[in-house]
Amino acid sequence: MSEHTPVLIVGAGPVGLALAGDLGWRGVPCTVIEQGDGRIEQPKMDLIGVRTMEFCRRWGIADWVRDAPYPGDYPQDCVFVTGLNGFELGRERFPGRAFEASPPQSPQKRERAPQDMFDPILKRFAESFDCVTLQYQTALVSFADGPDRVEATVRDTRSGTTRTLTAAYLVGADGASSAVREGAGIAMSGNPALTYTTNVLFRCADFPSLHRMGKAYRFIFIGPEGTWLTIVAINGGDRFRMSIVGTPDKVNHSEDDIRSALRRAMGRDFDYEILSVMRWVRRELVADRYGVGRVFIAGDSAHLMSPTGALGMNTGIQDAVDLGWKLDAVLRGWGGAELLHSYGSERRPVALRNVAASTENLGRMLSTRDRKPPPEVFADTPQADAIRADYGAWFTETMRHEWFMNGFHLGYRYDDSPIVWPDGTPAPPLETSTYTQTARPGARAPHVALPDGRSTLDLFGRGFTLLRIGPNAPSGEGLMQAAAAAGVPIRAVALDRPEVGDAYQRALVLVRPDGHVAWRDDAEPRQPAAVIDAVRGAKPIAGAAQLEAAS
Ligand SMILES: Cc1cc2nc3c(=O)[nH]c(=O)nc-3n(C[C@H](O)[C@H](O)[C@H](O)COP(=O)(O)OP(=O)(O)OC[C@H]3O[C@@H](n4cnc5c(N)ncnc54)[C@H](O)[C@@H]3O)c2cc1C
């Protein structure tokens, strides 16, 4: 007898765990299989973006992230140096995470917590639901996608025994070399090798006292050849990650290369312990499709980008949130045939944009290889100070694109989604550093602080929310009844606050379970059932004439 689960998730990295947690939070049974034992040899991500923190808030785990052991007062400066005991060329100052304010558009702020702090938080969240099963040391071997279920062969990595698991849906959150993506025959397009990079996790308890740059999150090292190395403070304590940035040419850095890079960075020998070495290829790739039949991919399985901009995992967690409510809807029977197709239509364009922006950021970090520092930058003479200041100011300004990215973290939209009902207004430009809130259908529903201390975001979640805004808002009864008739979970919330009206610009706004706007107008639609059928994926939105007739 095979075991059956509604959703089988392959991979318990941050994206698989977030999807399992979101499904558990919605009461959807699922099973996660992970080939590893849950230990993280070398943490990759460490920046949790503001949108991901909004999801953590919804899930009730934002405090768990806040209380992670990364010290709140550890300065988050990014410093550009010739060496740790050489010259400082520039510095972008950021306070410790406990002292950073939320942006005005969000009730949350981004957080610094490396993967070996954040994955256990997501795991604890997923495990808190009885309907979620996590199976470690269990690898996907192969799968077959049938008309009404997927049959997966999985192997216990300790005993080598195999067994069969069946599922209504299979989601590959199994990372860069995804067996699910491969098994589904999905190709990736883009640039397969931007750099061959070597990451070295090392321990050095007194690192800040060994140099003159002070405590900072990231050091970027610029030599006569341009940018060659970075060092980041992984846990705000004794662990650091050095990255020998490399080039598109394949290279295998030896232990001697690693030790000489550390010596060059410090300007002398010092005591440290190498904890792990990870050789990896920085890529710019997006899957050509996000699903085939009953099989979907999410996270690094679907998109691979340079970490410059901290968009990788954060994009993947957005995937998980987009897919979570849609799987819930189809498993409960109210999601239409188009709903799961819309996952790829909505998320793939976001990945294409984020992947390209991450490569652009890499280009900025490496722009010193084209505009090499003048030799005086490395000279200890009074005349050199002005040349250093000039070069450093240019690089500091260049790097700002990477530090300020709310247009990506918060401003992604599903403008052309087949399940979003356009309101006829032109799409505002997509922003990069800045972010202007909009309630245009497809956008993240805006945050407005409510008098009771909540955010408007706290109103959205497991079902649809119909906001009735202002003193004369229509009742919304037509939409409520149409939703009830189709089995769509919905509740109406009346908000008579001018600041909510300013942010949402319409008297009736329908917000989806993932917090994106599905539809808005000042009046009830003439055919409310047509709107509900469109946003639940039962009837793809066809053309302007059809929209006109219904609204
Ligand atoms: C140096 C570096 C720094 C980064 N910093 C950031 C950052 O600050 N912010 C950010 O958002 N992103 C960052 N990223 C990117 C981020 O780490 C990834 O995007 C993220 O880890 C992807 O998560 P995932 O769950 O999709 O995949 P992964 O983390 O790769 O997890 C996939 C899991 O699937 C498992 N698996 C694979 N195959 C199988 C199988 N056949 N059966 C069972 N299990 C399987 C693997 O063991 C693994 O645990 C960084 C990346 C790097 C390299």
Side-chain angles (χ1 to χ4, degrees):
M1 277 271 291
S2 59
E3 297 160 50
H4 183 80
T5 178
V7 184
L8 176 60
I9 301 166
V10 184
V15 174
L17 290 170
L19 178 59
D22 191 67
L23 289 171
W25 183 75
R26 296 179 186 283
V28 178
C30 62
T31 297
V32 186
I33 57 166
E34 163 58 51
Q35 63 187 9
D37 62 5
R39 262 180 304 193
I40 295 161
E41 202 188 325
Q42 186 169 128
K44 294 186 287 180
M45 59 65 55
D46 60 2
L47 193 276
I48 305 170
V50 56
R51 184 62 173 155
T52 302
M53 284 308 300
E54 290 180 352
F55 299 141
C56 289
R57 177 186 180 95
R58 175 191 303 170
W59 294 329
I61 62 171
D63 291 355
W64 302 2
V65 180
R66 184 200 59 202
D67 297 340
Y70 194 105
D73 60 355
Y74 194 90
Q76 294 296 300
D77 294 8
C78 295
V79 195
F80 319 123
V81 298
T82 61
L84 288 167
N85 286 300
F87 298 104
E88 178 174 322
L89 302 175
R91 179 182 292 255
E92 195 70 50
R93 290 186 188 277
F94 293 104
R97 69 189 185 110
F99 301 100
E100 193 173 69
S102 305
Q105 305 93 335
S106 180
Q108 294 295 149
K109 60 187 171 65
R110 61 189 175 179
E111 287 286 354
R112 178 78 63 200
Q115 195 179 355
D116 53 356
M117 296 180 191
F118 190 45
D119 274 13
I121 288 173
L122 292 172
K123 178 170 180 266
R124 182 177 150 207
F125 170 56
E127 276 177 330
S128 69
F129 302 104
D130 288 342
C131 59
V132 175
T133 306
L134 300 184
Q135 298 180 359
Y136 284 86
Q137 294 177 302
T138 306
L140 177 82
V141 179
S142 61
F143 65 88
D145 184 14
D148 56 2
R149 61 179 196 168
V150 183
E151 200 170 285
T153 304
V154 306
R155 190 184 64 242
D156 183 316
T157 60
R158 291 153 296 184
S159 66
T161 53
T162 57
R163 63 197 165 93
T164 304
L165 272 172
T166 61
Y169 296 99
L170 172 71
V171 182
D174 49 346
S177 43
S178 167
V180 175
R181 187 185 65 228
E182 180 134 350
I186 301 174
M188 295 188 106
S189 300
N191 187 337
L194 299 170
T195 66
Y196 284 81
T197 300
T198 301
N199 281 8
V200 180
L201 189 69
F202 65 95
R203 178 179 289 134
C204 179
D206 50 355
F207 189 74
S209 68
L210 298 177
H211 61 80
R212 59 193 209 205
M213 298 302 162
K215 285 183 179 174
Y217 164 65
R218 176 150 39 164
F219 300 98
I220 295 181
F221 294 78
I222 298 170
E225 72 273 48
T227 301
W228 67 282
L229 190 87
T230 66
I231 293 182
V232 303
I234 279 291
N235 64 348
D238 62 349
R239 285 191 300 145
F240 297 84
R241 181 179 62 221
M242 171 181 81
S243 299
I244 307 176
V245 182
T247 70
D249 298 326
K250 198 164 184 175
V251 66
N252 194 356
H253 294 111
S254 65
E255 188 172 332
D256 277 355
D257 294 334
I258 290 168
R259 291 194 183 278
S260 84
L262 278 166
R263 190 180 313 119
R264 182 179 168 196
M266 187 61 83
R268 60 180 164 82
D269 281 319
F270 66 106
D271 287 334
Y272 56 84
E273 179 193 354
I274 294 178
L275 300 175
S276 72
V277 176
M278 181 178 97
R279 295 178 177 86
W280 59 288
V281 188
R282 193 187 305 258
R283 304 188 193 277
E284 181 189 352
L285 293 174
V286 177
D288 295 346
R289 307 177 64 177
Y290 271 33
V292 177
R294 296 179 164 271
V295 179
F296 298 90
I297 51 175
D300 274 19
S301 170
H303 40 73
L304 290 165
M305 63 192 87
S306 170
T308 38
L311 286 171
M313 175 204 72
N314 289 300
T315 306
I317 290 191
Q318 293 162 18
D319 296 342
V321 169
D322 190 88
L323 190 54
W325 74 270
K326 294 175 180 174
L327 287 169
D328 179 22
V330 291
L331 286 164
R332 289 187 199 280
W334 60 264
E338 190 60 32
L339 196 60
L340 285 171
H341 293 155
S342 73
Y343 165 61
S345 328
E346 293 188 342
R347 293 303 308 160
R348 194 168 168 277
V350 177
L352 287 168
R353 180 170 183 250
N354 291 358
V355 161
S358 302
T359 303
E360 281 168 24
N361 283 340
L362 173 69
R364 292 185 186 102
M365 186 172 94
L366 302 185
S367 57
T368 50
R369 292 180 181 178
D370 293 327
R371 184 174 162 176
K372 291 204 171 54
E376 293 85 345
V377 158
F378 306 97
D380 196 1
T381 62
Q383 300 89 313
D385 284 345
I387 295 169
R388 247 191 308 274
D390 196 41
Y391 190 77
W394 161 72
F395 191 62
T396 306
E397 187 57 38
T398 300
M399 289 302 293
R400 288 219 165 104
H401 292 267
E402 183 174 334
W403 318 138
F404 302 97
M405 296 195 74
N406 276 348
F408 294 91
H409 283 282
L410 289 166
Y412 62 94
R413 303 195 305 252
Y414 306 141
D415 289 344
D416 300 320
S417 167
I419 61 161
V420 163
W421 193 280
D423 68 353
T425 58
L430 285 168
E431 295 170 84
T432 56
S433 309
T434 56
Y435 165 59
T436 309
Q437 300 200 94
T438 170
R440 185 174 184 269
R444 158 192 173 274
H447 153 70
V448 180
L450 300 174
D452 61 6
R454 288 184 305 166
S455 159
T456 43
L457 303 197
D458 298 332
L459 306 171
F460 317 136
R462 292 185 176 87
F464 278 82
T465 307
L466 180 63
L467 296 179
R468 299 178 51 238
I469 300 168
N472 304 314
S475 72
E477 262 316 298
L479 283 167
M480 297 299 288
Q481 281 168 16
V488 175
I490 188 168
R491 67 194 184 99
V493 177
L495 292 169
D496 190 4
R497 307 282 316 170
E499 59 274 29
V500 178
D502 289 347
Y504 282 78
Q505 295 282 310
R506 296 289 185 280
L508 287 177
V509 181
L510 184 61
V511 182
R512 314 190 319 185
D514 61 349
H516 281 253
V517 176
W519 169 93
R520 68 172 178 174
D521 208 335
D522 280 325
E524 288 263 17
R526 276 199 293 268
Q527 295 178 33
V531 172
I532 293 297
D533 280 350
V535 302
R536 70 184 179 93
K539 280 201 193 110
I541 293 172
Q546 182 199 357
L547 298 180
E548 191 99 327
S551 56

